[in-house]
Amino acid sequence: MTESLATPNAIGIHDAEVEHIFGLTGPLSASVKGYRPRQAQTEMAKAIADAIAGQTTLLAEAGTGTGKTYAYLTPALLWGGKVIVSTGTKNLQDQLFLRDIPTIRKVLKAPVSIALLKGRANYLCHYHLERTIQNGRLSSREDVGYLRDIGRFIKTTMTGDKAELARVPENASVWSLVTSTKDTCMGSECQYYQDCFVMKARKEAQQADVVVVNHHLFFADVALKDTGIAELLPSANTVIFDEAHQLPETATLFFGETVSTSQVLELCRDVLAEGLSHARDGAEWAKLVAPVERAARDLRLAFPQDIVRYSIDQIALSSPFFEALETLKSTMDEMIAVLEKQAERAETLEQCRARSILLAEQYEKWNAADDGKSGDYVLWVEAFSTSLQLHRTPLSIAPIFNKQREGVPRTWIFTSATMAVKNDFSHYVSQMGLWDQPARTWPSPFNYQEQGFLYVPNGMPQPNSYEYMDAVIDAALPVIEAAGGKTFLLCTTLKAVKHSAERLRDEFQKRGLDFPLFIHGDAGRTELLDRFRAAGNGVLIGSQSFWEGVDVRGDALSLVIIDKLPFAPPDDPVLSARIAAMEKKGLNGFVHHQLPEAIINLKQGAGRLIRDEGDKGVLMICDPRLISKPYGKRIWQSLPSFARTRELAEVQAFFKKIRNPG
């Protein structure tokens, strides 16, 4: 494999080869079914080849249909040296590893080895599986069946990757009992260390030319140093982030710190089990853990509501929260004191001691007043039905991420269909700290004017009004009927998903419309999409996870309805703190943060509609602010250049024409 040439005059050195590979008579045309040369794809590949040759950074936005995956993989496989490709989800990771990279490798006859690396929770652990089988502590018959499947699977799998065992759902509770965490891994002390799937995956990744990871894994490493990326990065020549628009949110998640009451309850469960197994005479274990468990539960009960998010400033000083937090810290200290004395009696007790100390430190650190950096962080709490999470989130990830990029010169590629707002990258650049780095955008090859309409219905009430969601359904029904189903209804909240599902079910029944409904939450995303495609006339109602990374080509999807502009809820503690910090600097929080965020999100949702040169359809945005507010123009100018209408009759005529093209 050719190593990259780090010279400033390396610009264009690979142009001729790129032209040939992507051209009419090149290897892609000859080998990939349905491949057609696209100018934007070729130009993007050249720009990436230049960045690799010069070991520089590039922000590359490419509209839907450009073929960005092949545009970055081709130069990466030929000239990238050791490459890390990081993508948005595990599904996309599998797609790159199983389909896209092998295709390009074969076409280019590139002698590169590839490896897939996921977080440790994705790999079976021999030690924990054996313990779970022996303990038999399973809460349901379903889990007993799943455990039997996993026991058979471990005998035949080469990788231990749970994605290979489709029979056991990814979210089945049994997985947490048969995988390890950083806290519960025995490391080189483990009797199964030689066969460990996590270690094997990391070893393969270190030796491979191209390693496929996901953003969660990449950034978790910065925080936890527990994903194997720490060993990979020093030797990498090229790092490519696909779906790079997701990085600010993912990095925020991992550069911050979160500690949860459920971690305390899990720890108590393990301390009790290990204490009784290895040091029954060392303490009254049940009496020791009971006050810690009670304190953790009391901390959750400090907020009687079901699901809430508060910044520390919003919690009244008289709230039982602060006292409950102190109680939890002191009961944990008592438990640690006993574990200190008993830890040497078993490796697993030593592990419980180490976990207890780490957790106690996190609770201590969360609101330590002497932390000089607290101004750079937002402290907030999030209550779920049975647990409470305490978060410490950085106001800006730019300085932390820049620190990551310092040191050895290497190529950094950031690519996505949605990073810019009307070709302006400044919002993304300021979030990631990528100032003064080259940024380029290539438009989609699709003919949006011919292929679709942007429809904003007349007479809609204001989005904050009580009757708004019903008005959305009333406006949507005739359009869904005209489209013959084949609809995505993308909602900004789960509440809206639920309400829309109830209304549409009733209306379809009343009107005798035989459109199958697929509702977010009724099954996993992949399963819902497969069923939607197979139905051919379905209506899928989804919230945030369906706005991006979803690809339904052809006739099954002809209408995408968006209920309202996706502005983040203003009561979000992190958003509020970021806006306050921006306004201190004289910036406008709405213009400089909320609006660009909403536009990037909306572009993702709108991108679900036209996925192929033959696709036709209507993007219906119900929110009247798109027309009535001064910022509306900036929003629709950032969307694909569909023909625009406010008339239902035009939309109905368009669908009629699709059905009867003659």
Side-chain angles (χ1 to χ4, degrees), residues 372-386:
K373 288 175 108 180
S374 61
D376 302 336
Y377 287 85
V378 190
L379 300 181
W380 57 289
V381 302
E382 190 169 19
F384 297 95
S385 52
T386 58

Side-chain angles (χ1 to χ4, degrees), residues 103 192 425 533:
T103 300
Y192 297 107
F425 286 82
R533 283 188 194 97

Side-chain angles (χ1 to χ4, degrees), residues 144-441:
V144 173
Y146 290 154
L147 189 62
R148 215 174 299 125
D149 289 337
I150 293 168
R152 279 192 218 105
F153 171 67
I154 201 164
K155 295 186 175 86
T156 56
T157 175
M158 300 292 289
T159 64
D161 183 347
K162 68 182 193 186
E164 289 176 16
L165 185 59
R167 252 201 329 281
V168 180
E170 196 183 348
N171 55 0
S173 56
V174 70
W175 284 122
S176 66
L177 299 170
V178 296
T179 53
S180 71
T181 64
K182 187 187 181 195
D183 298 333
T184 62
C185 171
M186 309 282 284
S188 54
E189 303 291 311
C190 180
Q191 70 206 72
Y192 297 107
Y193 188 69
Q194 293 307 315
D195 302 316
C196 173
F197 292 122
V198 173
M199 289 305 140
K200 274 187 190 165
R202 290 182 181 179
K203 201 169 172 188
E204 274 177 30
Q206 278 189 298
Q207 291 165 355
D209 300 309
V210 180
V211 186
V212 184
V213 302
N214 61 56
H215 303 336
H216 274 243
L217 188 70
F218 192 94
F219 287 108
D221 191 79
V222 180
L224 307 173
K225 295 281 175 284
D226 180 48
T227 67
I229 306 264
E231 297 98 64
L232 284 180
L233 249 186
S235 61
N237 310 88
T238 304
V239 179
I240 299 170
F241 292 109
D242 195 350
E243 304 290 343
H245 63 279
Q246 296 175 2
L247 293 183
E249 198 176 321
T250 310
T252 297
L253 191 70
F254 286 107
F255 291 160
E257 283 171 29
T258 295
V259 62
S260 163
T261 55
S262 56
Q263 286 171 279
V264 178
L265 295 173
E266 278 165 27
L267 173 70
C268 288
R269 185 191 69 196
D270 291 350
V271 168
L272 181 61
E274 300 307 333
L276 291 174
S277 294
H278 302 290
R280 189 173 279 273
D281 57 347
E284 290 193 65
W285 294 101
K287 277 189 179 165
L288 180 70
V289 301
V292 186
E293 288 181 328
R294 192 166 43 249
R297 292 202 169 95
D298 286 347
L299 187 63
R300 165 62 193 92
L301 294 172
F303 303 100
Q305 309 90 318
D306 195 19
I307 293 178
V308 292
R309 310 171 95 191
Y310 291 126
S311 71
I312 194 167
D313 307 336
Q314 292 173 308
I315 305 171
L317 287 172
S318 58
S319 162
F321 167 76
F322 294 103
E323 195 181 325
L325 183 58
E326 290 312 313
T327 306
L328 177 60
K329 288 181 196 173
S330 61
T331 55
M332 282 187 76
D333 287 345
E334 287 162 28
M335 186 166 80
I336 290 167
V338 173
L339 285 168
E340 294 279 11
K341 293 194 183 92
Q342 303 298 326
E344 61 198 28
R345 295 177 68 174
E347 178 62 38
T348 48
L349 275 171
E350 164 54 36
Q351 217 174 46
C352 287
R353 182 195 73 90
R355 276 166 70 190
S356 307
I357 290 171
L358 192 68
L359 263 180
E361 278 172 0
Q362 284 181 285
Y363 274 101
E364 197 55 58
K365 188 179 172 185
W366 181 72
N367 67 339
D370 60 349
D371 180 5
K373 288 175 108 180
S374 61
D376 302 336
Y377 287 85
V378 190
L379 300 181
W380 57 289
V381 302
E382 190 169 19
F384 297 95
S385 52
T386 58
S387 70
L388 183 76
Q389 292 187 345
L390 309 187
H391 301 278
R392 194 166 169 276
T393 303
L395 268 176
S396 167
I397 58 159
I400 316 172
F401 185 56
N402 269 333
K403 218 178 177 124
Q404 281 305 106
R405 294 178 61 242
E406 283 168 3
V408 186
R410 63 172 62 94
T411 305
W412 296 84
I413 306 290
F414 299 82
T415 183
S416 163
T418 56
M419 284 191 289
V421 174
K422 237 185 91 186
N423 297 342
D424 174 4
F425 286 82
S426 53
H427 174 63
Y428 187 78
V429 161
S430 62
Q431 283 182 301
M432 296 298 293
L434 297 169
W435 295 282
D436 306 322
Q437 300 297 348
R440 296 197 47 192
T441 184

